[in-house]
């Protein structure tokens, strides 16, 4: 299919080709279905299709199965016969085995190139979500970030943030008058959350060199888009870190990529697997941010595809932005499940030849109900679709093969060596050291002055300064008798009796005249 991603065959006998138009791939999408219904294979064939069309892809490998995209499938694979039969059924005549260019990433730097960002780039909102702090504690984090800007303190890594919080705690009385009340309990709670995150390995995510987004938008020499695979099997043990990282990456794409309007094909397609983790217990302000990103990032040429078990996992405000849909089977074991299934069916464009609700319930593994945007952005009619087989290897690759691909990557060596620039931790340490030196010098001067006073009092030292101060008043022994008499007379004359005498003398003189 030209200018489209081939998804599979639909309609009667699965003979009608179903595809996702590249021009509408940035209108986002949804891949949903119960566990074991084939969502991972759908992700794999979509990633292959976008890569073949020159579109870079980002996908999280939650189960470790997607690494096989880097390696072509094999005729000796146990499902080879089933794959070729399916290809014939859906008219996939040029089906061949092929590997695709892959870049492996890993927050823990074990199964791919390390991904880092600075604490400042993460920002207080996402950091608060990551730590799971209260509203009051989020306010303290906002104060800390504002203070860092005002004081010129770069917050790059974990130790920078920890040092800044300690400094805020020590100066909270002064800072509270300018930034608002800072409770020690809030600072303590944040520090405990940071300790938990550090124990989970989350501190490795913060630092430098920070991720250059252009490295995720690369193509290979043949013009195929590189598929960026995030190793998320270990990361999923910290689901909040996983969800916050993916949301941060989306936000960075939104902030940094230029506006491109409606491109002929996306600049990047982003698969958000286990999307329910993003919205579980999320505050409204965070959901609003996701909605804003989903609404506006398409004009940056980025298509976002949420992957989850049930469409109800995604808020309606976000779900309404997802135009391209692949709905694998939903199991209705309870009344709540049946209601969710009915609601899911109602979101599709009706097809007179298909009972959508029944189809969603009955589709087998490797089948789905699909609806892709057609020309002018009109939703296509729902079709029961047999998903095409993958061209790359189904399942993981050997650790040695992964290591070889990482070593041969065009990004090899760029992110592996961590940098530690002069930042808040070092600046505050220097300030503390300077304050300590000044205090020591002041104490030394004070001690010297006290020793000088003590020696003077014990007549061990003669100080010229002291002599000058003590000799500013001459002793009476040095005065002449005349001078002493004059002072006595003047003292008497300035007294009350003296003033009466003066008035009497002057009065007599003037009366005589």
């Amino acid at each position: 299919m030209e200018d489209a991603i081939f998804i599979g065959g639909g309609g009667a006998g699965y003979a009608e080709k179903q595809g996702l138009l590249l021009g509408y791939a940035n209108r986002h999408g949804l891949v949903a279905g119960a566990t074991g219904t084939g969502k991972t294979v759908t992700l794999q064939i979509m990633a292959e299709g976008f890569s073949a069309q020159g579109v870079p892809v980002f996908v999280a490998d939650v189960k470790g199965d997607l690494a096989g995209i880097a390696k072509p499938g094999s005729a000796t694979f146990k499902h080879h016969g089933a794959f070729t039969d399916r290809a014939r059924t859906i008219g996939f005549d040029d089906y061949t085995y092929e590997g695709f260019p892959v870049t492996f990433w890993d927050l823990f730097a074990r199964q791919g190139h390390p991904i880092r960002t600075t604490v400042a780039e993460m920002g207080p909102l996402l950091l608060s979500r990551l730590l799971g702090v209260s509203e009051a504690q989020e306010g303290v984090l906002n104060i800390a970030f504002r203070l860092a800007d005002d004081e010129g303190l770069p917050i790059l890594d974990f130790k920078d943030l920890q040092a800044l919080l300690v400094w805020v705690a020590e100066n909270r009385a002064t800072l509270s008058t300018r930034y608002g009340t800072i409770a020690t309990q809030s600072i303590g709670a944040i520090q405990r959350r940071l300790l938990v995150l550090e124990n989970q390995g989350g501190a490795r995510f913060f630092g430098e060199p920070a991720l250059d987004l252009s490295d995720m938008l690369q193509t290979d020499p043949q013009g195929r888009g590189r598929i960026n695979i995030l190793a998320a099997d270990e990361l999923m043990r910290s689901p909040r870190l996983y969800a916050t990282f993916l949301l941060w990456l989306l936000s960075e794409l939104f902030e940094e990529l230029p506006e491109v309007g409606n491109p002929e094909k996306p600049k990047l397609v982003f698969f958000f697997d286990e999307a329910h983790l993003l919205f579980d217990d999320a505050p409204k302000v965070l959901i609003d941010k996701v909605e804003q990103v989903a609404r506006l990032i398409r004009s940056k040429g980025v298509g976002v595809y949420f992957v989850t078990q049930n469409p109800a996992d995604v808020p309606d405000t976000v779900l309404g932005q997802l135009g391209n849909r692949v709905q694998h089977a939903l199991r209705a074991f309870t009344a709540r499940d049946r209601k969710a299934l009915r609601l899911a069916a109602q979101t599709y464009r009706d097809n007179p030849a298909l009972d959508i609700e029944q189809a969603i319930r009955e589709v087998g593994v490797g089948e789905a109900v699909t609806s892709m945007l057609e020309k002018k952005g009109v939703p296509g009619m729902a079709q029961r679709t047999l998903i095409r087989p993958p061209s790359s290897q189904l399942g993981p690759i050997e650790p040695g093969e992964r290591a070889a691909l990482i070593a041969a990557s065009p990004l090899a060596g760029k992110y592996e060596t961590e940098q530690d620039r002069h930042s808040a931790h070092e600046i505050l340490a220097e300030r503390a050291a300077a304050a300590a030196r000044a205090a020591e010098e002041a104490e030394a001067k004070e001690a010297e002055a006290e020793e000088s006073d003590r020696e003077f009092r014990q007549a061990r030292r003669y100080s010229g300064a002291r002599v000058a101060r003590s000799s500013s008043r001459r002793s009476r022994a040095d005065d002449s008798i005349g001078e002493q008499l004059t002072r006595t007379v003047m003292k008497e004359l300035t007294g009350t009796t003296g003033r009466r005498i003066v008035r009497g003398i002057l009065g007599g003189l003037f009366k005589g005249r």
Side-chain angles (χ1 to χ4, degrees):
M1 300 180 67
E2 294 183 2
D3 300 325
I5 304 299
F6 181 44
I7 301 297
Y14 303 114
E16 299 178 13
K17 291 187 176 182
Q18 304 296 311
L20 194 166
L21 294 176
L22 285 173
Y24 296 98
N26 65 329
R27 301 291 182 94
H28 312 320
L30 174 72
V31 180
T35 301
T37 56
K39 293 194 304 297
T40 301
V41 177
T42 298
L43 259 66
Q44 185 165 340
I45 65 105
M46 292 179 74
E48 291 177 359
F50 281 117
S51 176
Q53 294 284 357
V55 179
V57 175
F58 176 89
V59 59
D61 190 4
V62 174
K63 295 181 290 186
D65 294 342
L66 293 175
I69 297 177
K71 193 175 177 182
S74 172
T76 61
F77 183 56
K78 61 181 180 180
H79 295 311
H80 170 70
F83 284 175
T84 54
D85 289 344
R86 179 176 294 192
R88 282 192 296 271
T89 300
I90 63 178
F92 194 6
D93 299 327
D94 55 350
Y95 175 59
T96 57
Y97 289 125
E98 180 185 5
F100 293 83
V102 166
T103 302
F104 290 106
W105 301 92
D106 186 2
L107 261 68
F108 304 108
R110 299 190 182 99
Q111 302 181 69
H113 303 299
I115 295 182
R116 301 185 190 90
T117 186
T118 64
V119 177
E121 288 177 347
M122 173 68 76
L125 175 61
L126 290 181
L127 186 61
S128 299
R129 169 63 174 165
L130 177 60
L131 299 176
V133 298
S134 67
E135 184 177 351
Q137 293 155 10
E138 181 182 348
V140 172
L141 278 175
N142 276 282
I143 291 174
F145 275 77
R146 176 63 182 274
L147 180 64
D149 289 339
D150 293 345
E151 294 290 329
L153 301 172
I155 320 174
L156 304 181
D157 52 26
F158 232 52
K159 66 178 185 295
D160 289 331
L161 180 58
Q162 291 169 329
L164 180 62
L165 288 172
V166 170
W167 191 79
V168 169
E170 292 174 347
N171 298 274
R172 64 186 182 280
T174 304
L175 297 174
S176 293
T177 59
R178 180 177 180 184
Y179 297 99
T181 303
I182 302 174
T184 55
Q185 295 86 347
S186 295
I187 296 176
I190 296 171
Q191 290 172 324
R192 290 191 296 272
R193 296 282 185 171
L194 289 174
L195 182 60
V196 171
L197 183 61
E198 188 174 16
N199 291 338
Q200 293 176 348
R204 299 179 184 178
F205 176 47
F206 297 103
E208 291 185 313
L211 175 66
D212 183 354
L213 290 179
S214 63
D215 290 335
M216 287 194 173
L217 304 174
Q218 294 185 352
T219 57
D220 72 351
Q222 288 74 42
R224 299 178 300 174
R226 296 195 69 86
I227 301 174
N228 300 276
I229 299 179
L230 174 70
D233 47 349
E234 184 179 353
L235 182 60
M236 285 301 295
R237 299 174 189 172
S238 305
R240 194 181 292 271
L241 176 60
Y242 168 79
T244 306
F245 162 71
L246 292 186
L247 181 56
W248 164 80
L249 186 55
L250 268 180
S251 300
E252 288 296 299
L253 290 167
F254 173 70
E255 294 292 337
E256 294 193 15
L257 292 181
E259 294 279 346
V260 294
N262 292 312
E264 294 182 356
K265 62 182 180 181
K267 297 181 67 174
L268 176 73
V269 171
F270 189 103
F271 288 95
F272 203 129
D273 202 359
E274 300 293 341
H276 67 279
L277 296 175
L278 175 60
F279 304 106
D280 287 347
D281 302 322
K284 186 179 183 302
V285 63
L286 188 63
I287 295 177
D288 291 343
K289 183 177 181 63
V290 176
E291 180 189 358
Q292 179 193 36
V293 171
R295 189 183 300 276
L296 300 177
I297 201 172
R298 72 176 184 85
S299 64
K300 306 293 184 83
V302 178
V304 183
Y305 289 74
F306 292 92
V307 184
T308 187
Q309 293 192 16
N310 196 312
D313 296 333
V314 182
D316 291 342
T317 53
V318 178
L319 194 62
Q321 308 297 319
L322 313 182
N324 302 292
R325 301 195 180 190
V326 179
Q327 177 66 67
H328 288 273
L330 287 177
R331 308 308 182 195
F333 297 111
T334 66
R336 182 179 180 182
D337 293 340
R338 288 193 293 271
K339 180 180 179 181
L341 192 152
R342 184 171 62 256
L343 292 174
Q346 292 173 355
T347 61
Y348 287 86
R349 178 182 169 187
D350 290 337
N351 184 346
L354 180 68
D355 186 334
I356 300 175
E357 183 176 342
Q358 183 178 352
I360 294 176
R361 184 187 295 112
E362 294 179 353
V363 289
V365 176
E367 283 186 285
V369 174
T370 63
S371 174
M372 305 298 172
L373 293 177
E374 298 176 347
K375 290 184 178 180
K376 297 185 179 180
V378 177
M381 286 194 300
Q383 294 283 359
R384 183 166 178 168
T385 303
L386 188 63
I387 304 299
R388 78 164 179 87
S391 299
S392 56
Q393 176 178 302
L394 190 64
I397 59 177
E398 296 296 326
E401 295 174 322
R402 180 189 286 265
L405 288 169
I406 295 171
S409 167
L411 300 178
K414 181 174 181 178
Y415 294 102
E416 276 65 22
T417 303
E418 189 172 1
Q419 300 173 1
D420 188 9
R421 283 198 297 147
H422 192 260
S423 52
H425 177 266
E426 290 77 15
I427 293 173
L428 291 174
E430 290 170 358
R431 290 184 183 180
R437 286 194 300 269
E440 289 178 359
E441 292 174 0
E443 290 178 359
K445 290 181 179 179
E446 184 177 354
E448 183 180 352
E450 291 177 352
E451 179 66 20
S452 176
D453 289 342
R454 185 167 56 255
E455 290 182 353
F456 181 82
R457 289 193 298 271
Q458 295 175 355
R460 295 180 181 177
R461 176 179 296 181
Y462 173 79
S463 170
R466 286 185 175 275
V467 170
R469 288 194 299 270
S470 62
S471 61
S472 61
R473 294 181 180 178
R474 293 179 299 173
S475 65
R476 293 186 179 183
D478 296 332
D479 293 340
S480 65
I481 296 175
E483 290 175 344
Q484 292 183 24
L485 180 60
T486 302
R487 280 200 301 272
T488 302
V489 172
M490 290 301 299
K491 182 178 180 181
E492 290 297 331
L493 289 177
T494 57
T496 302
T497 305
R499 287 195 295 271
R500 291 175 181 173
I501 294 173
V502 171
R503 284 198 299 270
I505 294 174
L506 292 178
L509 290 175
F510 283 107
K511 284 180 181 179
R513 291 184 184 183

